[in-house]
Amino acid sequence: MKTILPDASLDQIFRTARTYYGWSDRTVEEKTLRDLYDLLKWGPTSANSSPARFVWVRSEEGKEQLAALAMERNRAKILAAPVTVIVGNDLAFSNNLSKLMPINTDAIRAALAPAPVAEATAARNGTLQGAYLIIAARALGLDCGPMSGFDNHGVDVAFFEGTRIKSNFICSLGYGDDASLFPRMPRLAFEEAGRFA
Ligand SMILES: Cc1cc2nc3c(=O)[nH]c(=O)nc-3n(C[C@H](O)[C@H](O)[C@H](O)COP(=O)(O)O)c2cc1C
């Protein structure tokens, strides 16, 4: 029987969760990152295509390489974070379909083969998986600092050379320092964001 999660959980994941770029000294254990992937991987993607790929940048060398490819205002944020994950979309995601979608694989692979379809599928589902990453991280008590202000091509060359993976966004992970927060911005009301039809 499914239940509504307790308010404290909904607060932690959504209502009081914030975007962080300042961090406490608490270490992010490798096990936590593995637990994070083991949660986010269950989020749905079309044809179970699972196109997102992740580079967990945690070494000083990796952080410096990534920071050098970021917009000026994001550099210090990357260097300060315990981990910054690069979320990429693998345009060659179809190679895994025989494992991920063993039923009707050939027909699905053919339907997804045209370049515009493959690109849209990778972008749509890879971005969804990036959102699952943020939700799963918060569910595990981590805080997130997503960023799109970086040189995508440069990151692709530095971190995804020899593959068909294209960087989407990056997301710092850690235990946030509340002192680094700005006042929260509002969100659109139900009626502003949508309508019934
Ligand atoms: C995909 C994405 C890209 C973002 N890019 C940047 C960025 O490059 N630099 C930055 O300082 N903030 C960036 N942000 C942070 C957003 O401005 C922030 O998450 C939003 O204002 C909500 O803040 P809140 O969670 O504290 O309410 C990005 C957020 C997302 C989801």
Side-chain angles (χ1 to χ4, degrees), residues 81-146:
V83 182
T84 298
V85 58
I86 305 168
V87 182
N89 301 326
D90 190 357
L91 295 176
F93 65 87
S94 279
N95 292 345
N96 292 306
L97 279 182
S98 51
K99 170 181 178 174
L100 297 173
M101 182 51 74
I103 306 152
N104 267 343
T105 309
D106 290 343
I108 292 168
R109 191 178 276 134
L112 296 175
V117 180
E119 280 163 27
T121 302
R124 179 180 304 115
N125 293 286
T127 301
L128 278 171
Q129 289 187 281
Y132 304 146
L133 169 107
I134 293 173
I135 302 305
R138 289 172 168 179
L140 291 174
L142 287 165
D143 292 300
C144 298

Side-chain angles (χ1 to χ4, degrees), residues 14 17-21 71 73-74 77 127 134 138 144-150 168-170 181-187:
F14 291 105
R18 292 295 311 277
T19 296
Y20 283 84
Y21 298 109
M71 286 170 54
R73 70 191 174 95
N74 287 335
K77 299 172 185 173
T127 301
I134 293 173
R138 289 172 168 179
C144 298
M147 288 170 268
S148 50
F150 63 92
N168 185 355
F169 70 98
I170 62 177
L181 290 174
F182 295 98
R184 197 168 211 200
M185 301 300 157
R187 301 296 200 257

Side-chain angles (χ1 to χ4, degrees), residues 38-61:
D38 281 338
L39 275 183
L40 81 88
K41 72 182 181 185
W42 295 114
T45 54
S46 62
N48 202 28
S49 52
S50 309
R53 301 291 178 266
F54 305 90
V55 178
W56 311 90
V57 181
R58 58 181 185 173
S59 69
E60 290 311 314
E61 186 192 7

